[in-house]
C-alpha cells in the first residue's frame, strides 16, 4: 500500500503515522518505512559509520541526523572535555563519533557544548522531535519521543547503517495496543510510578509486537516531561514504541524551540499535528484499562522492571507462585538482590542513590527530587547520591532555579550531563552488593555496576530514600 | 551477511526467562568500535566468577564451572535453547555479534524481544519460536546430548523422528536464505524512496532542514 492511498475506516494514531511514512515494498517483499530523524551517539554508531565508509556510501540525508556523546562521557571534570575521559577505550569511542560527524557533516552537540546531553533529552529540548515524525536511534529508549506523537523506535547498529544509507527502515507494521489510564494520580505519585505499575501489570513481554498508545484522562493531565517518562519505558513492557496523541500540551511545549518551524510553516505544521490523534472508533488489537487513583509510589525489588511493588507492599514469595518459570525467576532475583520474601519494601535500605537518565533527568524531575530535601541531609548509610541532569541546558536551568544548591547542601553530588549510572559505561558505577535507589529504567543484574542491586523509583522517591537511608512513602511527606 | 539455510548442531541450554541483552553482553564491552571481539564476553557475569574488562582473554578469568555453557557436554554447541522473551532490554546488536562469535547460529525460545529478533536477521543468526511445551521437552532431554537439525527452507526443526514447524515471515526467510545485503536490496529501490521523499517534503516541509 502506498502512502497516497487512504485507509478506510477509523485509524489509530500509529496507523496514521505509519501510512504517512510507508514507502512501499522491496522486491523481496519487505516493507520500507521512511525515517525523518536519526539520533546518534558514540556507542552504537561507529560500526555503522565504518560500514558506510567501507562501502563508499554517502549519508542519504545529512540533515536528518543529529548527534551527541552521552553514554561514555564522565560526569565529573567535564570542563576538561576529551581530556577528562581517563578510560582510553571510551575516549576512542567518543572521539570516533566526533570524527565521523565532522567527516559526514552531521550536526553534533559536542562534549563541551551546553546543549550536549542524553540524546532522548536533547532531541525534545531542541524541538528536533516533532509530532508525526518517525525517529530512530541505536538505543532502545528512543521510545521516549513517542510523547510527541512521533513514531520513535530503538534499532540495532545494522539498522543504524541502513537508515544512514537509505533513509528507510525495513519493517513490518506492529499491532496496536491501547493502555487507557482513567482517573487522577494521587499527590506524590508520578508518571514513573504509573509506567512501573503498567509494566508490573503487562510484564516485560506484554506488549511485544505492538505499539502502545497511552490514552485517557490521566495521560492528558501529564506534562510533556511526564509523558516522556511514560513513553521512555514502553520498551520495558516489550513495545518498541509508545505514543501519546497531540494536544495543547504538546503544541505549547514545541513552540519556540530552536528546531521548531517558524511563521507560516508553524501554522501549517500545527494544523497537521492537531490531526495526530486516534480516530473515534479506531480498533486496537489489545487493550487494558488502569485506574490511576489506585497506584501507589512504586519500587522495583527484582532484576526485571516487571518485578515491582507499591511502597506499602512487601517482597513477593516465590513459593506461593503457581507458574514454575515465574517462581524460578523470582527466586533467582531475590537471591541476586539479597532480599527475603515477605520483607517490607520500606525495610529495604539503600547505600547509593542515582537521580538521572533519559527516564528522569529533566527539569521537572529535578524539581520533584529537590522538593523532598526540606533542609535535610543524606542519611549516614548513603555513601553517594548522584544527581546527573539530562542535558547541559537542564543543568543550567536547575542551577538558575537554585536546585543545584539545595542538592549540594544536602550532600548530593551535582554532576554534568550524560547517561551516567543508568548503565555505568562511564566511571559512575555501583559496587558489588550495593543497593541503589535509581530513577533509571532497568534493574537488570549488573546493569549499574558489577553485582550492583538496582531499585527503580521516581525522582521524589529516590531523593526521599537518600534522606532516609531506606525507602519511604512520599505521599506521607504531604 | 551470512546466509542461513540448514544447520545440524549440538544444543546447549540456558534455563532462564527474560534473558536481557545486558546479560548477553555487559556494558563494559560496548566501548569497542568494532563488530568483532565480543564472543569471549558472552554471558560474561554468568560464565565467569570475576569481573572482566575489554581485552581480557578467557584464560585470565575465573570460570564458573556450574554455568551450563561451561559444562563439557555442551562444548561446541551451535544452537541455544532458552525461555520466554529472550533478548529483551537494550537494542545493542553486540548481543547477536557475541552469540555468533561464540558459535551459536540459532536460538530457540518460546518468544523473543522485538529488537533482538530483528538484529538476528541482520547477522545470519536464526531465532526460532517454538511452543513453550516443545521447548520444555527440549530442556528435559538436552543433558543427554541433544542434536537438532534445522532447515530454513522447510522451516522445520527435526529432533530424531520428531519434526516441528516454526513460523517465519516469508520476506525475512527469503533474505536469510540468500544472505543478501540489506542496504543493497533497499538501494535497488532508490527511485521509489526518492519519489516518496519528494511528496513527503511537499506534505511536511518542516521536516527538512536543508
Amino acid at each position: 500500500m502506498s502512502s497516497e492511498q487512504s485507509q478506510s475506516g477509523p485509524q489509530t494514531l500509529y496507523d496514521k503515522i505509519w501510512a504517512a511514512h510507508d514507502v512501499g515494498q522491496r522486491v523481496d517483499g519487505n516493507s520500507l518505512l521512511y525515517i525523518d530523524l536519526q539520533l546518534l551517539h558514540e556507542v552504537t554508531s561507529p560500526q555503522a559509520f565504518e560500514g558506510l565508509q567501507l562501502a563508499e556510501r554517502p549519508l542519504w540525508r545529512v540533515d536528518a541526523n543529529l548527534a551527541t556523546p552521552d553514554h561514555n562521557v564522565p560526569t565529573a571534570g567535564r570542563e576538561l572535555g576529551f581530556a577528562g575521559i581517563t578510560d582510553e577505550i571510551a575516549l576512542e569511542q567518543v572521539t570516533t563519533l566526533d570524527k565521523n560527524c565532522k567527516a559526514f557533516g552531521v550536526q553534533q552537540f559536542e562534549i563541551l557544548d551546553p546543549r550536549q546531553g542524553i540524546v532522548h533529552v536533547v532531541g525534545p529540548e531542541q524541538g528536533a522531535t516533532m509530532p508525526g515524525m518517525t525517529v530512530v536511534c541505536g538505543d532502545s529508549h528512543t521510545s521516549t519521543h513517542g510523547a510527541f506523537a512521533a513514531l520513535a523506535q530503538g534499532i540495532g547498529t545494522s539498522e543504524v547503517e541502513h537508515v544512514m544509507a537509505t533513509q528507510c527502515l525495513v519493517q513490518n507494521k506492529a499491532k496496536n495496543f491501547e493502555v487507557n489510564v482513567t482517573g487522577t494520580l494521587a499527590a506524590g505519585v508520578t508518571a514513573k510510578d504509573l509506567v512501573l505499575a503498567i509494566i508490573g501489570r503487562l510484564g516485560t513481554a506484554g506488549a511485544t509486537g505492538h505499539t502502545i498508545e497511552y490514552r485517557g484522562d490521566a495521560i492528558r493531565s501529564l506534562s510533556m516531561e511526564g509523558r516522556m517518562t511514560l513513553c521512555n519505558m514502553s520498551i520495558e513492557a516489550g513495545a518498541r514504541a509508545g505514543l501519546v496523541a497531540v494536544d495543547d500540551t504538546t503544541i505549547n511545549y514545541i513552540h519556540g524551540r530552536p528546531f521548531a518551524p517558524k511563521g507560516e510553516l508553524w501554522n501549517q505544521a500545527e494544523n497537521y499535528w492537531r490531526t495526530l490523534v486516534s480516530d473515534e472508533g479506531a480498533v486496537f488489537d489489545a487493550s487494558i484499562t488502569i485506574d490511576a487513583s489506585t497506584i501507589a509510589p512504586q519500587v522495583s525489588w527484582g532484576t526485571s522492571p516487571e518485578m515491582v511493588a507499591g511502597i506499602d507492599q512487601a517482597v513477593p514469595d516465590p513459593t506461593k507462585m503457581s507458574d514454575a518459570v515465574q517462581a524460578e525467576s523470582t527466586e533467582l532475583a531475590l537471591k541476586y538482590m539479597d532480599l527475603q520474601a515477605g520483607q517490607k519494601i520500606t525495610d529495604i535500605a539503600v547505600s547509593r542513590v542515582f537521580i538521572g537518565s533519559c527516564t528522569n533527568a529533566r527539569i521537572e524531575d529535578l524539581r520533584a527530587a529537590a522538593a523532598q530535601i526540606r533542609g535535610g541531609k543524606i542519611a549516614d548509610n548513603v555513601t553517594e547520591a548522584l544527581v546527573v541532569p539530562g542535558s547541559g541546558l537542564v543543568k543550567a536551568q536547575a542551577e538558575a532555579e537554585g536546585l543545584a544548591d539545595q542538592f549540594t547542601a544536602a550532600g548530593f553530588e551535582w554532576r554534568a550531563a550524560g547517561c551516567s549510572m543508568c548503565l555505568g559505561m562511564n566511571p559512575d558505577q555501583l559496587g558489588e552488593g550495593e543497593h541503589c535507589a535509581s530513577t533509571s529504567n532497568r534493574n537488570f543484574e549488573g546493569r549499574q555496576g558489577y553485582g550492583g542491586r538496582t531499585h527503580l523509583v521516581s525522582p521524589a522517591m529516590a531523593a526521599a530514600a537518600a534522606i532516609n537511608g531506606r525507602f519511604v512513602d512520599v505521599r506521607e511527606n504531604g | 551477511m551470512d546466509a542461513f539455510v540448514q544447520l545440524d548442531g549440538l544444543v546447549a541450554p540456558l534455563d532462564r526467562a527474560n534473558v536481557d541483552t545486558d546479560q548477553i553482553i555487559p556494558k563494559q564491552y560496548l566501548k569497542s568500535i568494532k563488530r568483532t571481539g565480543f564472543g569471549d564476553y558472552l554471558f560474561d557475569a554468568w560464565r565467569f566468577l570475576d569481573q572482566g574488562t575489554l581485552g581480557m582473554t578467557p584464560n585470565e578469568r575465573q570460570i564458573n564451572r556450574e554455568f551450563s555453557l561451561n559444562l563439557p557436554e555442551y562444548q561446541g554447541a551451535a544452537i541455544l535453547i532458552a525461555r520466554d522473551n529472550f533478548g529483551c532490554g537494550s537494542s545493542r546488536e553486540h548481543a547477536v555479534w557475541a552469540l555468533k562469535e561464540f558459535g551459536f547460529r540459532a536460538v530457540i525460545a518460546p518468544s523473543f524481544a522485538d529488537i533482538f529478533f530483528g538484529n538476528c536477521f541482520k547477522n545470519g543468526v536464526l531465532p526460532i519460536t517454538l511452543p513453550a511445551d516443545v521447548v520444555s521437552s527440549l530442556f528435559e532431554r538436552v543433558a543427554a546430548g541433544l542434536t537438532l537439525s534445522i532447515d530454513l527452507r522447510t522451516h522445520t526443526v527435526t529432533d530424531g523422528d520428531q519434526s516441528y514447524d516454526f513460523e517465519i515471515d516469508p520476506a525475512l526467510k527469503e533474505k536469510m536464505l540468500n544472505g543478501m545485503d540489506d542496504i543493497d536490496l533497499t538501494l535497488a529501490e532508490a527511485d521509489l524512496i526518492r519519489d516518496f521523499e519528494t511528496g513527503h517534503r511537499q506534505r511536511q516541509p518542516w521536516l527538512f532542514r536543508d
Side-chain angles (χ1 to χ4, degrees):
Chain A
M1 188 193 68
S2 85
S3 58
E4 260 57 60
Q5 276 175 289
S6 63
Q7 285 196 351
S8 57
Q11 287 179 287
T12 65
L13 171 58
Y14 173 59
D15 294 339
K16 290 181 184 181
I17 305 174
W18 180 276
H21 293 84
D22 183 2
V23 172
Q25 282 190 347
R26 295 195 310 206
V27 70
D28 65 349
N30 284 291
S31 298
L32 296 175
L33 186 73
Y34 189 83
I35 300 304
D36 295 313
L37 174 65
Q38 169 146 252
L39 299 166
L40 298 164
H41 62 83
E42 74 276 23
V43 178
T44 54
S45 69
Q47 299 88 348
F49 276 118
E50 185 189 46
L52 280 193
Q53 279 163 329
L54 290 173
E56 296 183 352
R57 289 175 178 134
L59 282 175
W60 180 279
R61 243 186 82 194
V62 175
D63 74 314
N65 295 276
L66 181 63
T68 193
D70 58 6
H71 282 62
N72 269 337
V73 295
T75 57
R78 176 61 59 82
E79 64 285 356
L80 299 171
F82 291 149
I85 308 178
T86 51
D87 177 343
E88 282 178 26
I89 307 169
L91 177 64
E92 186 185 16
Q93 202 165 50
V94 175
T95 56
T96 298
L97 177 71
D98 189 59
K99 281 181 205 147
N100 283 327
C101 288
K102 286 175 176 140
F104 284 87
V106 170
Q107 183 175 7
Q108 181 200 184
F109 298 134
E110 298 176 18
I111 188 165
L112 286 172
D113 191 305
R115 297 167 294 178
Q116 176 274 340
I118 307 170
V119 278
H120 309 311
V121 175
V122 168
E125 185 173 74
Q126 290 298 317
T129 305
M130 291 181 249
M133 264 186 162
T134 46
V135 181
V136 294
C137 176
D139 188 288
S140 60
H141 292 111
T142 309
S143 56
T144 310
H145 308 264
F148 294 84
L151 177 58
Q153 315 176 61
I155 58 176
T157 295
S158 292
E159 291 179 308
V160 171
E161 184 181 344
H162 189 276
V163 173
M164 284 175 170
T166 71
Q167 214 53 49
C168 291
L169 202 55
V170 181
Q171 195 167 69
N172 291 322
K173 197 176 169 195
K175 292 179 185 166
N176 284 287
F177 200 123
E178 173 189 45
V179 173
N180 188 33
V181 189
T182 59
T184 311
L185 291 169
V189 182
T190 66
K192 180 62 165 290
D193 304 299
L194 171 59
V195 73
L196 285 172
I198 291 170
I199 296 160
R201 170 111 171 248
L202 285 179
T204 52
T208 300
H210 294 77
T211 294
I212 295 176
E213 183 181 341
Y214 299 97
R215 292 150 62 83
D217 293 343
I219 307 301
R220 299 264 69 91
S221 307
L222 291 176
S223 65
M224 286 315 295
E225 283 90 345
R227 294 177 190 183
M228 284 188 255
T229 300
L230 181 69
C231 288
N232 172 274
M233 291 191 70
S234 301
I235 183 70
E236 266 59 68
R240 220 165 158 166
L243 291 167
V244 174
V246 170
D247 60 12
D248 289 342
T249 307
T250 326
I251 301 291
N252 293 339
Y253 182 95
I254 301 167
H255 191 261
R257 292 188 183 265
F259 284 58
K262 312 274 185 299
E264 182 44 41
L265 206 52
W266 168 268
N267 296 334
Q268 200 186 334
E270 185 186 339
N271 285 339
Y272 172 66
W273 293 345
R274 296 270 183 195
T275 69
L276 295 171
V277 297
S278 286
D279 294 332
E280 188 79 30
V283 178
F284 290 84
D285 300 283
S287 176
I288 62 161
T289 295
I290 289 181
D291 178 357
S293 66
T294 62
I295 295 170
Q298 302 284 302
V299 180
S300 77
W301 48 264
T303 54
S304 165
E306 69 183 20
M307 295 173 168
V308 288
I311 182 69
D312 46 5
Q313 292 181 297
V315 174
D317 186 347
T319 63
K320 290 178 181 157
M321 292 176 177
S322 52
D323 182 283
V325 174
Q326 192 194 5
E328 169 82 11
S329 298
T330 304
E331 208 164 298
L332 286 169
L334 294 188
K335 190 176 168 207
Y336 180 85
M337 295 295 290
D338 191 28
L339 295 175
Q340 307 303 317
Q343 187 176 348
K344 282 186 188 167
I345 299 291
T346 47
D347 287 343
I348 301 173
V350 298
S351 58
R352 302 282 293 272
V353 174
F354 173 63
I355 297 171
S357 86
C358 57
T359 312
N360 279 130
R362 298 176 183 85
I363 190 68
E364 197 175 90
D365 300 316
L366 302 188
R367 287 178 192 142
Q372 293 295 323
I373 296 172
R374 297 185 174 87
K377 298 259 186 220
I378 62 170
D380 290 343
N381 59 312
V382 173
T383 56
E384 186 187 73
L386 289 184
V387 186
V388 183
S391 72
L393 295 179
V394 171
K395 179 170 186 277
Q397 188 177 349
E399 286 166 356
E401 291 183 14
L403 304 179
D405 290 340
Q406 291 176 46
F407 283 121
T408 48
F412 288 83
E413 290 194 34
W414 180 248
R415 298 290 186 88
C419 299
S420 179
M421 211 167 70
C422 174
L423 83 168
M425 278 191 76
N426 77 345
D428 307 336
Q429 294 178 21
L430 290 185
E432 211 167 336
E434 289 186 309
H435 285 264
C436 178
S438 179
T439 67
S440 57
N441 41 56
R442 289 189 173 132
N443 50 352
F444 298 151
E445 288 182 27
R447 167 88 176 178
Q448 293 193 289
Y450 186 80
R453 295 168 177 148
T454 303
H455 299 277
L456 304 174
V457 287
S458 73
M461 286 288 287
I467 302 298
N468 292 280
R470 61 180 179 86
F471 291 110
V472 295
D473 191 340
V474 293
R475 292 174 300 182
E476 290 163 11
N477 291 348
Chain B
M1 187 195 83
D2 293 342
F4 187 110
V5 180
Q6 200 275 336
L7 171 72
D8 293 318
L10 179 67
V11 180
L14 182 60
D15 197 358
R16 280 188 180 235
N18 300 315
V19 172
D20 59 76
T21 54
D22 272 82
Q23 304 319 313
I24 301 176
I25 183 84
K27 76 302 196 95
Q28 66 264 39
Y29 306 110
L30 308 186
K31 293 174 189 170
S32 165
I33 59 170
K34 304 286 176 207
R35 279 177 187 263
T36 54
F38 300 105
D40 281 350
Y41 313 114
L42 179 73
F43 299 120
D44 197 76
W46 292 340
R47 272 172 63 214
F48 302 103
L49 296 169
D50 56 343
Q51 186 179 3
T53 55
L54 192 62
M56 287 174 92
T57 64
N59 298 335
E60 303 169 59
R61 309 286 302 278
Q62 278 176 268
I63 311 282
N64 177 2
R65 300 281 169 204
E66 290 173 14
F67 183 60
S68 60
L69 299 192
N70 288 331
L71 299 177
E73 58 266 39
Y74 303 123
Q75 299 314 299
I79 301 166
L80 184 69
I81 54 171
R83 301 289 184 179
D84 264 311
N85 197 28
F86 187 83
C88 63
S90 161
S91 60
R92 58 188 72 168
E93 194 166 324
H94 312 65
V96 181
W97 300 336
L99 281 164
K100 188 176 180 182
E101 207 173 302
F102 189 82
F104 290 116
R105 289 300 308 278
V107 184
I108 299 175
S111 61
F112 292 89
D114 285 341
I115 304 178
F116 175 85
F117 190 80
N119 284 342
C120 285
F121 283 93
K122 308 288 182 190
N123 292 282
V125 173
L126 186 63
I128 298 173
T129 307
L130 287 178
D133 59 331
V134 173
V135 174
S136 286
S137 76
L138 298 178
F139 270 106
E140 281 163 22
R141 286 174 299 120
V142 71
L146 181 65
T147 56
L148 293 174
S149 178
I150 297 167
D151 196 324
L152 180 57
R153 291 163 299 195
T154 54
H155 25 97
T156 49
V157 175
T158 307
D159 168 16
D161 300 336
Q162 282 248 315
S163 195
Y164 308 103
D165 281 352
F166 58 91
E167 282 185 29
I168 182 165
D169 178 88
L172 283 177
K173 172 183 162 184
E174 195 59 27
K175 193 167 78 78
M176 200 74 156
L177 283 174
N178 295 308
M180 286 181 291
D181 182 85
D182 238 338
I183 298 178
D184 281 343
L185 276 169
T186 301
L187 287 177
E189 312 291 350
D191 289 344
L192 188 68
I193 302 169
R194 272 190 213 100
D195 285 351
F196 172 87
E197 198 166 54
T198 303
H200 194 52
R201 187 189 281 266
Q202 284 164 0
R203 291 185 292 268
Q204 299 187 52
W206 55 87
L207 296 178
F208 293 77
R209 292 197 283 149
D210 56 355

